[in-house]
Coordinates of all heavy atoms in Angstrom, one line a residue:
M1 N 273.5 8.7 135.8 CA 274.4 9.6 135.0 C 274.6 10.9 135.8 O 274.0 11.2 136.9 CB 273.7 10.0 133.7 CG 272.4 10.8 133.8 SD 271.9 11.4 132.1 CE 272.7 13.0 132.0
D2 N 275.5 11.7 135.3 CA 275.8 13.0 136.0 C 275.2 14.1 135.2 O 275.1 14.1 133.9 CB 277.3 13.2 136.1 CG 277.9 12.3 137.2 OD1 277.2 11.5 137.8 OD2 279.1 12.5 137.4
I3 N 274.9 15.2 135.8 CA 274.5 16.4 135.1 C 275.4 17.5 135.5 O 276.1 17.5 136.5 CB 273.0 16.8 135.5 CG1 272.9 17.0 137.1 CG2 272.0 15.8 135.0 CD1 271.5 17.6 137.5
S4 N 275.5 18.5 134.6 CA 276.4 19.7 134.9 C 275.5 20.8 135.5 O 274.5 21.1 134.9 CB 277.0 20.2 133.6 OG 277.7 19.2 133.0
I5 N 276.0 21.4 136.6 CA 275.3 22.5 137.1 C 276.3 23.6 137.5 O 277.5 23.3 137.7 CB 274.4 22.2 138.3 CG1 275.2 21.5 139.4 CG2 273.2 21.3 138.0 CD1 274.3 21.2 140.6
R6 N 275.8 24.8 137.5 CA 276.7 25.9 137.8 C 276.2 26.6 139.1 O 275.1 27.0 139.2 CB 276.7 26.9 136.6 CG 277.5 28.2 136.9 CD 277.6 29.0 135.6 NE 278.6 28.3 134.7 CZ 278.9 28.8 133.5 NH1 278.4 30.0 133.1 NH2 279.8 28.2 132.8
I7 N 277.1 26.7 140.1 CA 276.7 27.2 141.4 C 277.7 28.4 141.7 O 278.9 28.2 141.7 CB 276.9 26.2 142.5 CG1 275.9 25.0 142.2 CG2 276.5 26.8 143.9 CD1 276.1 23.8 143.1
T8 N 277.1 29.6 141.9 CA 277.9 30.7 142.4 C 277.8 30.7 143.9 O 276.7 30.7 144.5 CB 277.4 32.0 141.8 OG1 277.5 31.9 140.4 CG2 278.2 33.2 142.3
D9 N 279.0 30.7 144.6 CA 279.0 30.6 146.0 C 278.7 32.0 146.7 O 278.5 33.0 146.0 CB 280.2 29.9 146.5 CG 281.5 30.8 146.3 OD1 281.4 32.0 146.1 OD2 282.6 30.1 146.2
R10 N 278.8 32.1 148.0 CA 278.5 33.3 148.7 C 279.5 34.4 148.6 O 279.3 35.5 149.0 CB 278.2 33.0 150.2 CG 276.9 32.2 150.3 CD 276.6 31.9 151.8 NE 275.4 31.1 152.0 CZ 275.3 30.1 152.8 NH1 276.4 29.7 153.6 NH2 274.2 29.4 153.0
V11 N 280.7 34.0 148.1 CA 281.7 35.1 147.9 C 281.8 35.4 146.4 O 282.8 36.1 146.0 CB 283.1 34.7 148.5 CG1 283.0 34.7 150.0 CG2 283.6 33.4 148.0
G12 N 280.9 34.9 145.6 CA 280.8 35.3 144.2 C 281.6 34.5 143.2 O 281.8 34.8 142.1
V13 N 282.2 33.4 143.7 CA 282.9 32.5 142.8 C 282.0 31.5 142.2 O 281.2 30.9 142.9 CB 284.1 31.8 143.6 CG1 284.8 30.8 142.7 CG2 285.0 32.8 144.3
T14 N 282.1 31.3 140.9 CA 281.3 30.4 140.1 C 282.0 29.0 140.0 O 283.1 29.0 139.6 CB 280.9 31.0 138.8 OG1 280.1 32.2 139.0 CG2 280.0 30.0 138.0
H15 N 281.2 28.0 140.2 CA 281.8 26.6 140.1 C 280.9 25.8 139.2 O 279.7 25.7 139.3 CB 281.7 25.9 141.5 CG 282.3 26.7 142.6 ND1 283.6 26.5 143.1 CD2 281.8 27.7 143.4 CE1 283.9 27.3 144.1 NE2 282.8 28.1 144.3
D16 N 281.6 25.2 138.2 CA 280.9 24.3 137.3 C 281.2 22.9 137.8 O 282.3 22.5 137.8 CB 281.4 24.5 135.8 CG 280.9 25.7 135.2 OD1 279.7 26.0 135.3 OD2 281.7 26.5 134.6
I17 N 280.1 22.2 138.2 CA 280.4 20.9 138.8 C 279.4 19.9 138.2 O 278.5 20.3 137.5 CB 280.1 21.0 140.3 CG1 278.7 21.4 140.6 CG2 281.0 22.0 141.0 CD1 278.2 21.1 142.0
S18 N 279.7 18.7 138.5 CA 278.8 17.6 138.0 C 278.2 17.0 139.2 O 278.8 16.8 140.2 CB 279.5 16.6 137.1 OG 280.5 15.9 137.8
A19 N 276.9 16.6 139.1 CA 276.2 16.0 140.2 C 275.5 14.8 139.7 O 275.0 14.7 138.6 CB 275.1 17.0 140.6
P20 N 275.6 13.7 140.5 CA 275.0 12.5 140.1 C 273.4 12.5 140.3 O 272.9 13.2 141.2 CB 275.5 11.5 141.2 CG 275.8 12.3 142.4 CD 276.2 13.7 141.9
T21 N 272.7 11.9 139.3 CA 271.3 11.9 139.4 C 270.8 10.6 140.0 O 269.6 10.4 140.2 CB 270.7 12.0 138.0 OG1 271.2 10.9 137.2 CG2 271.0 13.3 137.4
D22 N 271.7 9.6 140.3 CA 271.2 8.3 140.8 C 271.5 8.1 142.3 O 271.5 7.0 142.8 CB 271.9 7.2 140.0 CG 273.4 7.3 140.0 OD1 273.9 8.3 140.7 OD2 274.1 6.5 139.5
M23 N 271.7 9.2 143.0 CA 272.0 9.1 144.4 C 271.0 9.8 145.3 O 271.2 10.0 146.5 CB 273.4 9.6 144.7 CG 274.5 8.7 144.2 SD 276.2 9.3 144.5 CE 276.3 9.2 146.3
A24 N 269.9 10.2 144.7 CA 268.8 10.8 145.5 C 269.3 12.1 146.2 O 269.0 12.3 147.3 CB 268.1 9.9 146.4
M25 N 270.2 12.8 145.5 CA 270.8 14.0 146.2 C 270.0 15.2 145.8 O 269.4 15.3 144.7 CB 272.2 14.2 145.7 CG 273.3 13.4 146.4 SD 274.9 13.8 145.7 CE 275.6 14.8 147.0
N26 N 269.9 16.2 146.7 CA 269.3 17.4 146.4 C 270.4 18.5 146.3 O 271.6 18.2 146.6 CB 268.3 17.8 147.4 CG 268.8 18.0 148.8 OD1 269.8 18.7 149.0 ND2 268.2 17.3 149.8
L27 N 270.0 19.7 145.9 CA 271.0 20.7 145.6 C 271.8 21.1 146.8 O 273.0 21.3 146.8 CB 270.3 21.9 145.0 CG 271.2 23.1 144.6 CD1 272.2 22.7 143.6 CD2 270.3 24.2 144.1
M28 N 271.2 21.2 148.0 CA 271.9 21.5 149.2 C 273.0 20.5 149.5 O 274.1 20.8 149.9 CB 270.8 21.5 150.4 CG 271.4 21.7 151.8 SD 271.9 20.1 152.5 CE 270.3 19.4 153.0
E29 N 272.7 19.2 149.3 CA 273.6 18.1 149.5 C 274.8 18.2 148.5 O 276.0 17.9 148.9 CB 273.0 16.8 149.5 CG 272.0 16.6 150.6 CD 271.1 15.4 150.4 OE1 270.7 15.0 149.3 OE2 270.7 14.8 151.4
V30 N 274.5 18.6 147.3 CA 275.6 18.8 146.3 C 276.5 19.9 146.8 O 277.8 19.8 146.8 CB 275.0 19.1 144.9 CG1 276.1 19.5 144.0 CG2 274.2 17.9 144.4
V31 N 275.9 21.0 147.3 CA 276.8 22.2 147.8 C 277.6 21.7 148.9 O 278.8 22.0 149.0 CB 275.9 23.3 148.2 CG1 276.7 24.4 148.9 CG2 275.1 23.9 147.0
R32 N 277.1 20.9 149.8 CA 277.9 20.4 150.9 C 279.0 19.4 150.5 O 280.1 19.5 150.9 CB 276.9 19.7 151.9 CG 276.1 20.7 152.7 CD 275.1 19.9 153.6 NE 275.7 19.1 154.5 CZ 275.9 19.3 155.9 NH1 275.3 20.5 156.3 NH2 276.5 18.5 156.7
A33 N 278.6 18.6 149.5 CA 279.6 17.6 149.0 C 280.8 18.2 148.4 O 281.9 17.8 148.6 CB 278.9 16.6 148.0
Y34 N 280.6 19.3 147.7 CA 281.7 20.1 147.1 C 282.2 21.2 148.0 O 283.1 21.9 147.6 CB 281.2 20.7 145.8 CG 281.2 19.7 144.6 CD1 280.0 19.0 144.4 CD2 282.3 19.5 143.8 CE1 280.0 18.1 143.3 CE2 282.3 18.6 142.8 CZ 281.1 17.9 142.5 OH 281.1 17.0 141.5
E35 N 281.7 21.2 149.2 CA 282.2 22.2 150.2 C 282.2 23.6 149.6 O 283.2 24.4 149.8 CB 283.6 21.8 150.7 CG 283.5 20.5 151.4 CD 284.9 20.0 152.0 OE1 285.9 20.7 151.7 OE2 284.9 19.0 152.7
L36 N 281.1 24.0 149.0 CA 281.0 25.3 148.4 C 280.5 26.4 149.5 O 280.4 27.6 149.1 CB 280.0 25.3 147.2 CG 280.4 24.3 146.1 CD1 279.5 24.4 144.9 CD2 281.9 24.6 145.7
A37 N 280.1 26.0 150.6 CA 279.8 26.9 151.7 C 280.3 26.2 153.0 O 280.4 25.0 153.1 CB 278.2 27.0 151.8
P38 N 280.8 27.1 153.9 CA 281.3 26.5 155.2 C 280.4 25.6 155.9 O 279.2 25.9 156.0 CB 281.7 27.8 156.0 CG 281.7 28.9 155.0 CD 280.8 28.5 153.9
E39 N 280.9 24.6 156.5 CA 280.2 23.6 157.3 C 279.4 24.4 158.3 O 279.9 25.4 158.9 CB 281.2 22.7 158.0 CG 280.6 21.6 158.9 CD 280.0 20.5 158.1 OE1 280.5 20.2 157.0 OE2 278.9 20.0 158.5
G40 N 278.1 24.0 158.5 CA 277.3 24.7 159.5 C 276.6 25.9 159.0 O 275.8 26.5 159.8
T41 N 276.8 26.3 157.8 CA 276.1 27.4 157.2 C 275.1 27.0 156.2 O 274.4 27.9 155.6 CB 277.0 28.5 156.6 OG1 277.6 27.9 155.4 CG2 278.1 28.9 157.6
I42 N 275.1 25.7 155.8 CA 274.1 25.3 154.8 C 273.6 23.9 155.2 O 274.4 23.1 155.7 CB 274.7 25.3 153.4 CG1 273.6 25.0 152.4 CG2 275.9 24.4 153.3 CD1 273.9 25.4 151.0
G43 N 272.3 23.7 155.1 CA 271.8 22.3 155.4 C 271.6 22.1 156.9 O 271.6 21.0 157.4
V44 N 271.4 23.2 157.6 CA 271.3 23.2 159.0 C 270.2 22.2 159.5 O 270.4 21.5 160.5 CB 271.1 24.6 159.6 CG1 270.9 24.6 161.1 CG2 272.3 25.5 159.2
C45 N 269.1 22.3 158.9 CA 267.9 21.4 159.3 C 268.0 20.0 158.7 O 267.1 19.2 158.9 CB 266.6 22.1 159.0 SG 266.1 22.0 157.3
G46 N 269.0 19.8 157.9 CA 269.1 18.4 157.3 C 268.2 18.2 156.1 O 268.0 17.1 155.7
G47 N 267.7 19.3 155.6 CA 266.9 19.2 154.4 C 265.4 19.0 154.6 O 264.7 18.5 153.8
M48 N 264.9 19.5 155.7 CA 263.5 19.4 156.1 C 262.7 20.7 155.7 O 261.6 20.8 156.2 CB 263.4 19.2 157.6 CG 264.2 18.0 158.1 SD 263.6 16.4 157.5 CE 262.1 16.3 158.5
A49 N 263.3 21.6 155.0 CA 262.6 22.9 154.7 C 262.3 23.7 155.9 O 261.2 24.3 156.0 CB 261.3 22.6 153.8
M50 N 263.1 23.6 156.9 CA 262.9 24.3 158.2 C 263.9 25.3 158.6 O 263.9 25.8 159.8 CB 262.7 23.2 159.3 CG 261.4 22.4 159.2 SD 261.3 21.1 160.4 CE 261.5 21.9 161.9
C51 N 264.9 25.6 157.7 CA 265.9 26.5 158.2 C 266.3 27.6 157.2 O 266.8 28.6 157.6 CB 267.2 25.7 158.6 SG 268.1 25.1 157.1
A52 N 266.0 27.4 155.9 CA 266.4 28.3 154.9 C 267.9 28.6 154.7 O 268.3 29.4 153.9 CB 265.7 29.7 155.1
S53 N 268.7 27.8 155.4 CA 270.2 28.0 155.2 C 270.6 27.5 153.8 O 271.7 27.9 153.3 CB 270.9 27.2 156.2 OG 270.8 25.8 156.0
C54 N 269.7 26.8 153.1 CA 270.1 26.3 151.7 C 269.4 27.2 150.6 O 269.4 26.8 149.5 CB 269.6 24.9 151.6 SG 267.8 24.8 151.7
Q55 N 268.9 28.4 151.0 CA 268.2 29.2 150.0 C 269.2 29.5 148.9 O 270.4 29.8 149.1 CB 267.8 30.5 150.7 CG 267.0 31.4 149.7 CD 266.7 32.8 150.2 OE1 266.3 33.6 149.5 NE2 267.0 33.1 151.5
C56 N 268.7 29.5 147.7 CA 269.5 29.9 146.5 C 268.6 30.6 145.6 O 267.3 30.6 145.7 CB 270.1 28.7 145.9 SG 268.9 27.5 145.3
Y57 N 269.2 31.4 144.7 CA 268.5 32.1 143.6 C 268.7 31.3 142.3 O 269.8 31.0 142.0 CB 269.0 33.5 143.5 CG 269.1 34.3 144.8 CD1 270.2 34.8 145.2 CD2 267.9 34.4 145.5 CE1 270.3 35.5 146.4 CE2 267.9 35.1 146.7 CZ 269.1 35.7 147.2 OH 269.2 36.4 148.4
V58 N 267.6 31.0 141.7 CA 267.6 30.2 140.5 C 267.8 31.2 139.3 O 266.9 32.0 139.0 CB 266.4 29.3 140.3 CG1 266.5 28.5 139.0 CG2 266.2 28.4 141.5
L59 N 268.9 31.0 138.6 CA 269.2 32.0 137.5 C 268.8 31.5 136.1 O 268.7 32.2 135.2 CB 270.7 32.3 137.5 CG 271.3 32.7 138.9 CD1 272.8 32.9 138.8 CD2 270.6 34.0 139.3
S60 N 268.7 30.2 136.0 CA 268.4 29.6 134.7 C 266.9 29.4 134.6 O 266.2 29.5 135.6 CB 269.1 28.3 134.5 OG 268.9 27.4 135.6
N61 N 266.4 29.1 133.4 CA 264.9 29.0 133.2 C 264.4 27.6 133.3 O 263.6 27.1 132.5 CB 264.5 29.5 131.8 CG 264.7 31.0 131.7 OD1 264.4 31.7 132.7 ND2 265.1 31.5 130.6
H62 N 264.9 26.9 134.3 CA 264.4 25.5 134.5 C 263.0 25.4 135.1 O 262.6 26.2 135.9 CB 265.4 24.7 135.4 CG 266.7 24.4 134.6 ND1 267.6 25.3 134.3 CD2 267.1 23.1 134.2 CE1 268.6 24.7 133.6 NE2 268.3 23.4 133.6
E63 N 262.3 24.4 134.6 CA 261.0 24.0 135.2 C 261.3 23.3 136.5 O 261.7 22.1 136.4 CB 260.3 23.1 134.2 CG 258.9 22.8 134.5 CD 257.9 23.9 134.1 OE1 258.2 24.6 133.1 OE2 256.9 24.1 134.8
L64 N 261.1 24.0 137.6 CA 261.5 23.4 138.9 C 260.3 22.7 139.5 O 259.1 23.0 139.1 CB 262.0 24.4 139.8 CG 263.3 25.1 139.4 CD1 263.6 26.2 140.4 CD2 264.4 24.1 139.3
P65 N 260.5 21.7 140.4 CA 259.4 21.1 141.1 C 258.6 22.2 141.8 O 259.1 23.2 142.3 CB 260.1 20.2 142.1 CG 261.5 20.2 141.9 CD 261.8 21.3 140.9
T66 N 257.3 22.0 141.8 CA 256.4 22.9 142.4 C 256.7 23.0 143.9 O 257.0 22.1 144.5 CB 254.9 22.4 142.2 OG1 254.7 22.1 140.9 CG2 253.9 23.5 142.7
M67 N 256.6 24.3 144.4 CA 256.9 24.5 145.8 C 255.8 23.9 146.7 O 254.6 24.1 146.4 CB 256.9 26.0 146.0 CG 258.2 26.5 146.6 SD 258.1 28.2 147.1 CE 259.1 29.0 145.9
Q68 N 256.2 23.2 147.7 CA 255.3 22.6 148.6 C 255.0 23.7 149.7 O 255.8 24.6 149.9 CB 255.9 21.3 149.3 CG 256.2 20.2 148.3 CD 255.0 19.8 147.5 OE1 254.0 19.4 148.1 NE2 255.0 19.8 146.2
D69 N 254.0 23.4 150.5 CA 253.6 24.4 151.6 C 254.7 24.7 152.5 O 254.9 25.9 152.9 CB 252.4 23.9 152.4 CG 251.2 23.8 151.5 OD1 251.2 24.4 150.4 OD2 250.2 23.2 152.0
D70 N 255.5 23.7 152.9 CA 256.6 24.0 153.9 C 257.7 24.8 153.3 O 258.2 25.7 154.0 CB 257.1 22.6 154.5 CG 257.5 21.6 153.4 OD1 257.3 21.9 152.2 OD2 258.0 20.6 153.8
E71 N 258.0 24.6 152.1 CA 259.0 25.5 151.5 C 258.5 26.9 151.3 O 259.2 27.9 151.6 CB 259.4 24.9 150.1 CG 260.5 25.8 149.4 CD 260.9 25.3 148.1 OE1 260.4 24.3 147.6 OE2 261.8 25.9 147.5
E72 N 257.3 27.0 150.9 CA 256.7 28.4 150.8 C 256.6 29.1 152.1 O 257.0 30.3 152.2 CB 255.2 28.2 150.2 CG 254.8 29.3 149.3 CD 253.6 28.9 148.5 OE1 253.6 27.9 147.9 OE2 252.6 29.7 148.5
A73 N 256.3 28.4 153.1 CA 256.2 29.0 154.5 C 257.6 29.4 155.0 O 257.7 30.5 155.5 CB 255.6 28.0 155.5
M74 N 258.5 28.6 154.7 CA 259.9 28.9 155.1 C 260.4 30.2 154.4 O 261.0 31.1 155.0 CB 260.8 27.7 154.9 CG 262.2 27.8 155.6 SD 262.0 27.8 157.4 CE 262.7 29.4 157.7
L75 N 260.2 30.2 153.1 CA 260.7 31.4 152.3 C 259.9 32.6 152.7 O 260.4 33.7 152.6 CB 260.6 31.1 150.8 CG 261.7 30.1 150.3 CD1 261.4 29.8 148.9 CD2 263.1 30.7 150.5
A76 N 258.7 32.5 153.2 CA 257.9 33.7 153.6 C 258.5 34.4 154.8 O 258.3 35.5 155.0 CB 256.5 33.3 153.9
E77 N 259.3 33.6 155.6 CA 259.9 34.3 156.8 C 261.4 34.3 156.7 O 262.1 34.8 157.7 CB 259.4 33.6 158.0 CG 259.7 32.1 158.1 CD 259.1 31.5 159.3 OE1 257.8 31.6 159.5 OE2 259.8 30.9 160.2
A78 N 262.0 33.9 155.6 CA 263.5 33.9 155.5 C 264.0 35.3 155.1 O 263.2 36.2 154.7 CB 264.0 32.9 154.5
F79 N 265.3 35.6 155.3 CA 265.9 36.8 154.9 C 266.4 36.7 153.4 O 266.6 35.7 152.9 CB 267.1 37.2 155.8 CG 266.7 37.4 157.2 CD1 266.9 36.5 158.2 CD2 266.1 38.6 157.6 CE1 266.6 36.7 159.5 CE2 265.7 38.8 158.9 CZ 266.0 37.9 159.9
F80 N 266.6 37.9 152.8 CA 267.2 38.0 151.5 C 266.4 37.3 150.4 O 266.9 36.9 149.4 CB 268.6 37.4 151.5 CG 269.5 37.9 152.6 CD1 269.9 37.1 153.6 CD2 269.8 39.3 152.7 CE1 270.7 37.5 154.6 CE2 270.7 39.7 153.7 CZ 271.1 38.8 154.7
V81 N 265.1 37.1 150.6 CA 264.3 36.4 149.6 C 264.0 37.2 148.4 O 263.7 38.4 148.5 CB 262.9 35.9 150.3 CG1 262.0 35.2 149.3 CG2 263.2 34.9 151.4
K82 N 264.1 36.6 147.2 CA 263.8 37.2 146.0 C 262.8 36.4 145.2 O 262.5 35.3 145.7 CB 265.1 37.3 145.1 CG 266.2 38.1 145.7 CD 267.4 38.2 144.6 CE 268.6 38.8 145.2 NZ 269.7 38.7 144.3
D83 N 262.3 36.9 144.1 CA 261.3 36.2 143.3 C 261.8 34.8 142.9 O 261.0 33.9 142.7 CB 260.9 37.0 142.1 CG 260.0 38.2 142.4 OD1 259.6 38.2 143.6 OD2 259.9 39.0 141.5
N84 N 263.1 34.7 142.7 CA 263.6 33.4 142.2 C 264.3 32.6 143.3 O 265.0 31.7 143.0 CB 264.6 33.7 141.1 CG 265.8 34.5 141.5 OD1 265.8 35.2 142.5 ND2 266.8 34.6 140.7
S85 N 263.9 32.9 144.5 CA 264.4 32.1 145.7 C 263.8 30.7 145.7 O 262.6 30.6 145.5 CB 264.1 32.8 147.0 OG 264.9 33.9 147.2
R86 N 264.6 29.7 146.0 CA 264.1 28.4 146.3 C 265.0 27.8 147.4 O 266.1 28.3 147.6 CB 264.2 27.4 145.1 CG 263.2 27.8 144.0 CD 261.8 27.6 144.3 NE 261.4 26.2 144.7 CZ 260.8 25.4 144.0 NH1 260.4 25.7 142.8 NH2 260.5 24.2 144.4
L87 N 264.5 26.8 148.1 CA 265.3 26.0 149.0 C 266.0 24.9 148.3 O 265.4 24.1 147.7 CB 264.4 25.5 150.1 CG 263.7 26.5 151.0 CD1 262.9 25.7 152.1 CD2 264.7 27.4 151.7
G88 N 267.3 24.9 148.4 CA 268.2 23.9 147.7 C 267.8 22.5 148.0 O 267.9 21.6 147.2
C89 N 267.4 22.3 149.3 CA 267.1 20.9 149.7 C 265.9 20.4 149.1 O 265.6 19.2 149.2 CB 267.1 20.9 151.2 SG 265.7 21.7 152.0
Q90 N 265.1 21.3 148.5 CA 263.8 20.8 147.8 C 264.0 20.6 146.3 O 263.0 20.4 145.6 CB 262.7 21.8 148.1 CG 262.5 22.0 149.6 CD 262.1 20.8 150.4 OE1 261.2 20.1 150.0 NE2 262.9 20.4 151.4
I91 N 265.2 20.8 145.8 CA 265.5 20.6 144.4 C 266.3 19.3 144.2 O 267.5 19.3 144.5 CB 266.2 21.8 143.8 CG1 265.3 23.0 144.0 CG2 266.5 21.6 142.3 CD1 266.0 24.3 143.5
Q92 N 265.7 18.3 143.7 CA 266.4 17.0 143.5 C 267.2 17.0 142.3 O 266.8 17.7 141.3 CB 265.3 15.9 143.5 CG 264.6 15.6 144.8 CD 265.6 15.0 145.9 OE1 266.5 14.2 145.6 NE2 265.4 15.5 147.1
M93 N 268.3 16.4 142.3 CA 269.2 16.3 141.1 C 268.6 15.2 140.2 O 268.8 14.0 140.4 CB 270.6 15.9 141.6 CG 271.3 17.0 142.4 SD 271.6 18.5 141.4 CE 270.2 19.5 141.9
T94 N 267.9 15.7 139.2 CA 267.4 14.8 138.2 C 267.9 15.2 136.8 O 268.5 16.3 136.7 CB 265.8 14.8 138.1 OG1 265.4 16.2 137.7 CG2 265.2 14.5 139.5
T95 N 267.7 14.4 135.8 CA 268.2 14.8 134.5 C 267.6 16.1 134.0 O 268.2 16.8 133.2 CB 268.0 13.7 133.5 OG1 266.6 13.3 133.5 CG2 268.8 12.5 133.7
D96 N 266.4 16.4 134.5 CA 265.7 17.7 134.1 C 266.5 18.9 134.6 O 266.3 20.0 134.1 CB 264.3 17.8 134.7 CG 263.3 16.8 134.1 OD1 263.6 16.3 133.1 OD2 262.3 16.7 134.7
M97 N 267.4 18.7 135.5 CA 268.2 19.8 136.1 C 269.5 20.1 135.4 O 270.3 20.9 135.8 CB 268.4 19.6 137.6 CG 267.1 19.6 138.4 SD 266.2 21.1 138.3 CE 264.7 20.5 137.6
E98 N 269.7 19.3 134.3 CA 270.9 19.5 133.5 C 271.1 21.0 133.1 O 270.1 21.6 132.7 CB 270.9 18.7 132.2 CG 271.9 19.0 131.2 CD 273.3 18.7 131.6 OE1 273.6 17.8 132.3 OE2 274.2 19.5 131.2
G99 N 272.2 21.6 133.4 CA 272.4 23.0 133.0 C 271.9 24.0 134.0 O 272.0 25.2 133.8
L100 N 271.4 23.5 135.2 CA 270.9 24.4 136.2 C 271.9 25.5 136.6 O 273.1 25.1 136.8 CB 270.4 23.6 137.4 CG 269.7 24.4 138.6 CD1 268.4 24.9 138.1 CD2 269.6 23.5 139.8
E101 N 271.5 26.7 136.8 CA 272.4 27.7 137.3 C 271.8 28.4 138.5 O 270.6 28.9 138.5 CB 272.7 28.8 136.3 CG 273.5 28.3 135.1 CD 273.7 29.4 134.1 OE1 273.9 30.6 134.5 OE2 273.7 29.1 132.9
V102 N 272.5 28.4 139.6 CA 272.0 29.0 140.9 C 273.1 29.8 141.5 O 274.2 29.6 141.3 CB 271.5 27.9 141.9 CG1 270.3 27.1 141.3 CG2 272.6 27.0 142.4
E103 N 272.6 30.7 142.4 CA 273.5 31.4 143.3 C 273.1 31.2 144.7 O 271.9 31.3 145.0 CB 273.4 32.9 142.9 CG 274.3 33.8 143.7 CD 274.0 35.3 143.3 OE1 273.3 35.6 142.3 OE2 274.6 36.2 144.0
L104 N 274.0 31.0 145.6 CA 273.6 30.8 147.0 C 273.3 32.1 147.6 O 274.0 33.1 147.4 CB 274.8 30.1 147.8 CG 275.3 28.8 147.3 CD1 276.4 28.3 148.2 CD2 274.2 27.8 147.1
A105 N 272.2 32.1 148.3 CA 271.8 33.3 149.0 C 272.7 33.5 150.2 O 273.4 32.6 150.7 CB 270.3 33.2 149.5
P106 N 272.9 34.8 150.7 CA 273.7 35.1 151.8 C 273.3 34.3 153.0 O 272.1 34.0 153.2 CB 273.6 36.5 152.1 CG 273.0 37.1 150.8 CD 272.2 36.0 150.2
A107 N 274.3 33.9 153.9 CA 273.9 33.3 155.1 C 273.3 34.3 156.0 O 273.6 35.5 155.9 CB 275.2 32.7 155.8
D108 N 272.4 33.9 156.9 CA 271.7 34.9 157.8 C 272.7 35.6 158.7 O 273.6 35.0 159.2 CB 270.7 34.1 158.7 CG 269.5 33.7 157.9 OD1 269.4 34.1 156.8 OD2 268.7 33.0 158.5
Ligands
FES201 FE1 267.1 23.6 155.9 FE2 267.0 23.3 153.2 S1 268.4 22.5 154.6 S2 265.6 24.4 154.6

């Protein structure tokens, strides 16, 4: 099935989009699929939690997957990090993410 999520891009435009939950996609891949950030500015490491180009701020109160050590380490050295920062590539599109609202962090 599809879920609805709201993504504010880096120029402040908000997009209401639907994302499939049956394709093992993560949030970074959804942003790329909808071309909400220029090619080469997001998903640089391919979703390995090694680049922080997919950093986003989570605006809704969703129960997100617990941060793994690699995500935590990456965010510890990334720029523009806030309390609600997460790496988009570490957030899988599941039905639990219905209604998720995020804002893309600025590119480095
Ligand atoms: Fe590189 Fe998410 S795509 S950390």
